[in-house]
Amino acid sequence: SYFPFTDYDFYAYLTSGGFLLATIDLAFNNAALLNKASWTTIQIISAIAAAYVIGHLVAMLAQGFLEGFVMKKVFAKPMELQLGLKKPRWHERILGVLVGRYYEPLPAGIRNSILSQAAERLGCVAEDINNCEDVFQFGFQKSFESSDARKRIDDFRNQYGFCRNIAFVAFLGTIIFAWKSYPCWASFNAYAFAVYIAIFLGMFVRYAKFLSSFQAEVIKRLS
């Protein structure tokens, strides 16, 4: 009850900001802070504040890169596949296998019901709907009618924000360790590089999973 942050602050900002600080310390400071035996109260408060501020910056950059570009331009949005507005291409089918449930079209009956409800609100027919964001907004408004639905939606939002931001920091980490070694590749830390790539790939798949679950939970409010 004395924790001064919300769940989303912890999942989306503090963890990713702390991870980036630890990455920089490991790459450029020989992990001096990570290996520090004891911390004063002022140092702990300063580290938490720094992690929180950096976490906000990470979230902004991660949203622009992973959410605004990778999961919008490189891959189809989960909602577009769920509503059948786009057919999955080969790389989306691969991601769908890794993600599992929801990065794929919803059952036809549920999909048709969602589109019919959205079409009624838009004053058109279901076949004319080509913007999944319209459907999402109607579902999001309706989600406030159910406390259980809101809890699931908030949980998925927390999880996908966490995974997205951690994946982005891991992506930055691979760049940092590669850049630090250039041009003298004899100092290249292959172990750290491989670990950060593994974290990036793993957390990106988890991000796609929770983003898909989040969007599915919202639009299914219209079914």
Side-chain angles (χ1 to χ4, degrees):
S1 60
Y2 294 100
F3 192 64
F5 299 100
T6 66
D7 288 347
Y8 194 74
D9 286 333
F10 177 78
Y11 281 106
Y13 305 136
L14 284 173
T15 51
S16 59
F19 186 28
L20 183 55
L21 284 175
T23 299
I24 293 172
D25 181 49
L26 179 63
F28 299 106
N29 197 33
N30 294 318
L33 294 178
L34 291 174
N35 292 323
K36 192 175 178 65
S38 61
W39 292 65
T40 67
T41 301
I42 295 299
Q43 288 174 329
I44 293 172
I45 293 174
S46 299
I48 293 174
Y52 186 64
V53 171
I54 292 173
H56 273 275
L57 299 177
V58 167
M60 178 181 66
L61 295 174
Q63 183 176 20
F65 178 63
L66 291 179
E67 197 163 337
F69 175 69
V70 176
M71 288 302 293
K72 187 175 180 180
K73 302 296 184 182
V74 178
F75 294 93
K77 293 180 182 179
M79 286 186 297
E80 292 176 322
L81 301 183
Q82 292 161 2
L83 295 171
L85 301 181
K86 282 188 177 180
K87 292 184 178 180
R89 296 164 291 183
W90 66 269
H91 58 297
E92 288 150 355
R93 288 195 293 270
I94 293 174
L95 182 59
V97 170
L98 297 174
V99 168
R101 190 180 182 191
Y102 289 143
Y103 196 69
E104 59 186 5
L106 292 169
I110 295 176
R111 189 168 66 243
N112 293 336
S113 177
I114 293 171
L115 291 173
S116 296
Q117 292 288 330
E120 183 178 339
R121 288 167 168 78
L122 289 169
C124 64
V125 296
E127 290 75 15
D128 290 339
I129 296 177
N130 55 21
N131 185 356
C132 61
E133 293 296 337
D134 292 333
V135 182
F136 179 85
Q137 291 303 322
F138 290 133
F140 190 75
Q141 294 169 11
K142 194 172 178 61
S143 70
F144 287 93
E145 298 175 5
S146 169
S147 59
D148 289 341
R150 286 305 311 172
K151 185 180 185 308
R152 290 194 298 272
I153 288 170
D154 288 343
D155 286 343
F156 287 138
R157 181 203 59 184
N158 291 343
Q159 294 290 347
Y160 94 69
F162 169 77
C163 294
R164 179 196 66 196
N165 295 351
I166 293 297
F168 184 72
V169 173
F171 175 73
L172 292 179
T174 61
I175 296 175
I176 287 172
F177 282 104
W179 173 76
K180 183 176 180 290
S181 301
Y182 181 82
C184 181
W185 292 106
S187 63
F188 180 63
N189 191 333
Y191 176 76
F193 188 79
V195 168
Y196 274 79
I197 286 180
I199 293 173
F200 167 69
L201 294 175
M203 295 305 286
F204 176 76
V205 170
R206 297 297 290 174
Y207 157 61
K209 174 183 176 61
F210 287 117
L211 178 65
S212 301
S213 299
F214 168 78
Q215 294 185 351
E217 190 65 39
V218 170
I219 64 176
K220 284 197 302 180
R221 296 303 97 204
L222 295 174
S223 63

